[in-house]
Amino acid sequence: MSDILAPAPGPPVHIRGFVDVLTDRQDWPRVSEGETSGGTYMSERRRLPLPGGPITVDAVRLVAGDAGQTVLPGDEFVLVLSGDVRFEQSGGELHLGAGQAGVVPRGRSLAWRCDQDGELIVMRCLGGGGPTAQAPVRIELEAPLAPSNPPLAEFLVGPTPQCRNHTDYRSGSGEFVCGVWDSTPYHRRLLTFRHYELMSLLEGSVTFVDASGREGRFAAGDVVLLEQGGGCSWESQVHVKKIYSTFRPAE
């Protein structure tokens, strides 16, 4: 589980960096999408307070036997923490269990149901240039990974890592991207993020330190949000593998 170290005493100033999703989610305010046909998938949400923009991050609780129908206003990356959920659109059906993830595209009639009590973390993208799928897309945890660009050498402390990636979903503009990534150990200095990234660690562990000195160590099973406009360093001493969902606005 994550281990957060508090910054030195001083005035309470929020410096954007990382969010420990699993620890903080119970404190997020409740929101409702204002419709009844969508059922608890739409109405039983706690939403992380973020600046206005194309990204929201919600914790969703479902009860066994719940079901509903809706049309999503944005593409939704769905990570199942516990239980299960089934999504069906005209192009196909996706069943997700604990530890699995997928993307449900916007703008198409969606039917959903669950057979077990459960909880989801949902990252919605209202921008991104629109959907590129006709049906829900699974994040393939065991997909072959291809080499991808490592962090820039100017930010690294020590050797350049070997990074790999598999993209399962990319929006029409290429701004909203979801998939699986891994890397050999590395240490990167603090940099400021142009993007949001929600990650669920599958293997290994990583330590983040933000601009205030707040430190968090996260291991397999933890879920972290990196905040656009914030910054963190990264240090991993073992191989790391993660599911990711990112929104990076076009230049």
Side-chain angles (χ1 to χ4, degrees), residues 169-236:
Y169 183 81
R170 186 183 300 273
S171 68
S173 67
E175 295 174 301
F176 188 54
V177 181
C178 307
V180 175
W181 175 94
D182 78 350
S183 177
T184 57
Y186 72 93
H187 184 186
R188 172 184 56 71
R189 296 185 179 91
L190 183 145
L191 58 81
T192 301
F193 305 130
R194 292 186 55 253
H195 64 285
Y196 282 105
E197 177 177 356
L198 182 70
M199 67 176 74
S200 173
L201 292 172
L202 300 171
E203 300 175 14
S205 62
V206 58
T207 298
F208 297 108
V209 181
D210 69 16
S212 73
R214 185 175 65 118
E215 178 178 318
R217 181 182 180 274
F218 299 90
D222 289 329
V223 183
V224 188
L225 178 73
L226 302 182
E227 300 178 276
Q228 184 184 57
C232 294
S233 63
W234 164 297
E235 185 172 6
S236 55

Side-chain angles (χ1 to χ4, degrees), residues 74-137:
D75 296 343
E76 292 197 343
F77 167 84
V78 179
L79 172 67
V80 181
L81 299 180
S82 61
D84 76 318
V85 64
R86 296 177 185 269
F87 296 106
E88 184 174 0
Q89 292 174 307
S90 58
E93 181 177 336
L94 177 63
H95 180 205
L96 298 174
Q100 298 179 324
V103 179
V104 185
R106 74 186 79 179
R108 300 177 64 85
S109 179
L110 169 69
W112 69 272
R113 69 183 190 277
C114 69
D115 299 322
Q116 305 174 47
D117 292 355
E119 187 176 7
L120 320 172
I121 299 297
V122 177
M123 180 176 182
R124 175 186 291 172
C125 179
L126 297 167
T132 55
Q134 303 297 310
V137 176

Side-chain angles (χ1 to χ4, degrees), residues 141-173:
L141 303 186
E142 301 302 327
L145 303 178
S148 64
N149 293 330
L152 294 175
E154 63 191 273
F155 292 108
L156 288 171
V157 179
T160 299
Q162 296 180 350
C163 303
R164 302 184 300 172
N165 177 70
H166 176 79
T167 298
D168 292 284
Y169 183 81
R170 186 183 300 273
S171 68
S173 67

